[in-house]
């Protein structure tokens, strides 16, 4: 499918699963811990730094925010998990919204599961990967903040991470930097190809 990712716009904000818009176009979901770079990646895909809100303060995305790309594709920016400094109650509220997205029976085509290339997997990362493997959910593993590494470091680290994580053998793996716009075109092309 030909998608002009630069024709991106805000679609809706949902504080509850009931407020999510009807799925009338293919939908992609961003998953990953708070601060991993989900909103930044949406902006990099759109080539628009003002589209999704990015912050130095983790836990910024507190609702599901939907963005439409070229009226052909929708990306759902889910609240990040595992941010330690928010209260237990808020943490539960965040994760229950993200959880209910997956358990509500909502239709989606792909999960982009983001992990910071420099960090070790969290329990939530492992749980999410196991959940997707067990439920035959199609996902791309996207390592973020790769500008922090040299190419050689990057290759070594990806091999190391493949040993640590239980990736689906067919899972596609991407290494991106939203700030340096590395790997963004490859990701756009893979998304467009998947949604053919
Ligand atoms: N160096 C570097 N920093 C990045 C990159 N992507 C995001 N960041 C920074 O990481 C921080 C968090 O980015 P966000 O995109 O807001 O992360 P998020 O996953 O949406 O976070 P929540 O909304 O809290 O779940 C910001 O300070 C970004 O500037 C990247 O590719 N490279
Ligand atoms: Mg965010």
């Amino acid at each position: 499918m030909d998608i002009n990712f630069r024709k991106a716009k805000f679609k809706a904000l949902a504080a509850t699963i009931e407020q999510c818009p009807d799925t009338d176009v293919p939908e992609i979901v961003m998953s990953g811990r708070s601060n991993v770079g989900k909103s930044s990646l949406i902006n990099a895909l759109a080539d628009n730094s003002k589209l999704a809100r990015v912050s130095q303060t983790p836990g910024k995305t507190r609702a599901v925010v939907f963005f439409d790309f070229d009226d052909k594709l929708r990306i759902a920016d889910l609240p990040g998990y595992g941010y330690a400094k928010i209260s237990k109650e808020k943490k539960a509220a965040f994760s229950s919204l993200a959880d209910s997205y997956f358990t509500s029976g909502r239709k989606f085509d792909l999960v982009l599961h983001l992990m910071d290339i420099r960090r070790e997997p969290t329990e939530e990362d492992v749980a999410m990967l196991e959940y997707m493997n067990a439920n035959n959910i199609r996902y791309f593993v996207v390592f973020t903040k790769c500008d922090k590494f040299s190419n050689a470091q990057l290759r070594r680290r990806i091999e190391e991470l493949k040993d640590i994580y239980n990736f689906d053998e067919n899972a596609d793996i991407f290494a991106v930097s939203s700030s340096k716009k590395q790997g963004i075109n490859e990701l756009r092309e893979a998304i467009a190809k998947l949604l053919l």
Side-chain angles (χ1 to χ4, degrees), residues 32-41 53-61 77-81 114 144-148 176-180:
R33 63 179 293 149
S34 191
N35 211 41
V36 71
K38 297 178 296 296
S39 302
S40 301
L41 182 57
R53 197 163 300 169
V54 172
S55 168
Q56 299 302 325
T57 325
K60 196 76 195 170
T61 312
D77 194 7
L78 286 194
Y81 50 68
L114 273 56
T144 62
K145 310 195 185 185
C146 292
D147 49 284
K148 303 282 188 185
V176 304
S177 164
S178 297
S179 48
K180 296 265 165 69

Side-chain angles (χ1 to χ4, degrees), residues 85-151:
K85 280 193 192 142
I86 58 174
S87 70
K88 263 196 186 137
E89 297 77 54
K90 269 192 185 153
K91 214 167 164 176
F94 285 177
S95 62
S96 73
L97 179 57
D99 284 352
S100 60
Y101 180 93
F102 288 104
T103 55
S104 64
R106 187 174 179 83
K107 266 188 58 180
F108 54 88
D109 297 85
L110 176 71
V111 176
L112 297 186
H113 186 71
L114 273 56
M115 291 182 287
D116 188 327
I117 189 86
R118 302 164 302 171
R119 303 181 75 146
E120 296 311 314
T122 66
E123 273 176 37
E124 286 110 328
D125 284 326
V126 174
M128 187 64 197
L129 288 162
E130 282 173 358
Y131 174 79
M132 292 188 293
N133 288 341
N135 291 282
N136 289 317
I137 293 172
R138 186 72 206 264
Y139 62 92
F140 289 173
V141 173
V142 182
F143 291 114
T144 62
K145 310 195 185 185
C146 292
D147 49 284
K148 303 282 188 185
F149 278 179
S150 72
N151 281 343

